[in-house]
Each structure stands twice: as C-alpha cells, then as structure tokens.
Amino acid sequence: MGIHSYMCMRGEKKVRKRLIIEGIITLVIALSPVMFYSYKYMPNDTESLDFWLFEVTSNGFADARTAVWFYLLKIIPLVLLITWFVTNKQWWYHAILIPISMYSFQLYSVITNNSKQVDENEIFYVIAVTMVVVPVVYFIRVKLIDKHVHGIDLDAMDTELQILKEKEELRKEREKLEQRQHTLSKKM
C-alpha cells in the first residue's frame, strides 16, 4: 500500500467522521422543537414520571409535567447555544457564553431549588460572567479592528519600537566612545 492510498484512506475517515458529527448536530437542531414540546405528551397530575434512565419528580412544581416543562425551557436553548458556541468561527463567539451562563444558572436553580425561587437571583452570577466575557470580547475586537480595518499591526509596531530602542542605545554608546576618544586625544 502506497503513501497516496494511505493518505486517501485517512482523508476518507476524516470526511466520514465530520459528516457523522455534522449529521448529529443537524439532527439535534432539527429535533429541538419536538423535544421542547414533548412535555405536552406526558400525563397530567402525576407526582413523578419514570423514564428509562431516570425519574423526574414534581420538585415543588404543581406536577411532574410542569417540572419537565421548566427543565425543557432551560435545557433546549442551552443545548442550542452550546452547539452554536462550539461550531461558531466568528471572532465574537465568546459573547455566546453570556446566554449560556444565564441558562446554566437557571437550569441549576430549577433542578436544585424548590419552585418558589425560579429565575430570581441568577442575574448576579450572569453579571459576574459578563464582567469577564465582555472585556475579553472587546479586546479581541479591538485587536482585529486595529489590524484589519485601520491597518495597524501591533506586532510590527512592537518590532519597530524595539529597533528604535536599539538604535538609541547604539547612538548613546557611540557618543560615549566619541567622548572617550576626545578625552584621550586631549591627554596626548
């Protein structure tokens, strides 16, 4: 088997893997409305719903169906936002972390707390995440705008400043040498 055929097989495996991953992502996105409205097909007025791998209780809500509805209100947008974040190639994709954090904190609150305190104090956690994400996104934006819109290359500027510093140091050294030579010529 030659190198060319090995590379072709490797390329085919990579393409197949990519198609499978993209197919799964597409399937999740396409099925998200069905998953979101699946609570409508669950029985009313039950204290718990038993699924194949887990059980959902009412957790302080009127019934288990209402609890599932609240969970799906948080899980489906969270899954879609995470998918967007992972697959996005834009410079600003870190900003998607803000709604991801919001839905994550809300989901945690809905799952762990009693239903009397749903979506109340998560804003404080989201503000903390926002205070970190916004400066990072702004810094990335400034660097990209400076480089691609204004034509300012910060690396080139740093290099030029370093060269100027070295030239200045060499000029000072030359002046010192000329001073010494002048002093020596007076002594002779």
Side-chain angles (χ1 to χ4, degrees):
M1 179 162 68
I3 292 176
H4 179 67
S5 60
Y6 173 74
M7 295 301 281
C8 287
M9 283 182 13
R10 204 168 145 215
E12 288 174 10
K13 286 182 182 180
K14 203 174 199 179
V15 168
R16 189 177 311 128
K17 182 179 177 182
R18 183 174 178 181
L19 285 174
I20 290 171
I21 291 171
E22 288 176 355
I24 291 170
I25 290 171
T26 303
L27 186 64
V28 167
I29 292 170
L31 290 178
S32 64
V34 174
M35 291 184 293
F36 183 77
Y37 290 108
S38 65
Y39 75 92
K40 289 186 173 195
Y41 303 103
M42 295 176 191
N44 286 330
D45 301 325
T46 57
E47 205 47 43
S48 68
L49 293 170
D50 193 20
F51 294 99
W52 183 56
L53 296 173
F54 56 94
E55 179 183 16
V56 177
T57 63
S58 63
N59 193 24
F61 292 98
D63 58 9
R65 179 182 175 181
T66 306
V68 169
W69 176 67
F70 263 90
Y71 300 154
L72 290 174
L73 276 175
K74 308 305 178 198
I75 292 171
I76 299 303
L78 182 61
V79 167
L80 293 173
L81 284 165
I82 290 171
T83 303
W84 187 18
F85 179 78
V86 170
T87 59
N88 197 336
K89 295 179 182 172
Q90 300 294 324
W91 64 267
W92 50 264
Y93 76 100
H94 289 92
I96 301 171
L97 289 172
I98 296 169
I100 287 174
S101 68
M102 180 184 72
Y103 279 106
S104 299
F105 291 128
Q106 288 176 351
L107 179 62
Y108 177 77
S109 173
V110 167
I111 289 173
T112 60
N113 292 338
N114 201 345
S115 66
K116 293 174 183 72
Q117 295 181 343
V118 175
D119 297 345
E120 288 186 11
N121 297 323
E122 293 81 16
I123 188 68
F124 299 116
Y125 301 116
V126 174
I127 288 172
V129 171
T130 302
M131 290 174 60
V132 172
V133 170
V134 168
V136 168
V137 171
Y138 184 76
F139 180 71
I140 292 169
R141 180 193 168 275
V142 165
K143 287 195 83 80
L144 288 173
I145 294 293
D146 284 349
K147 185 171 187 173
H148 297 292
V149 174
H150 299 299
I152 300 170
D153 188 2
L154 296 177
D155 291 333
M157 288 177 69
D158 286 341
T159 304
E160 192 172 329
L161 285 172
Q162 186 65 29
I163 290 170
L164 286 172
K165 284 181 184 178
E166 289 173 3
K167 281 183 180 180
E168 183 65 24
E169 289 173 6
L170 287 172
R171 186 188 60 78
K172 287 180 182 178
E173 285 292 322
R174 192 170 128 226
E175 285 178 1
K176 285 181 186 177
L177 286 173
E178 287 176 355
Q179 191 84 343
R180 285 183 185 162
Q181 186 180 17
H182 183 66
T183 305
L184 283 174
S185 65
K186 281 185 177 181
K187 288 184 179 179
M188 291 183 155

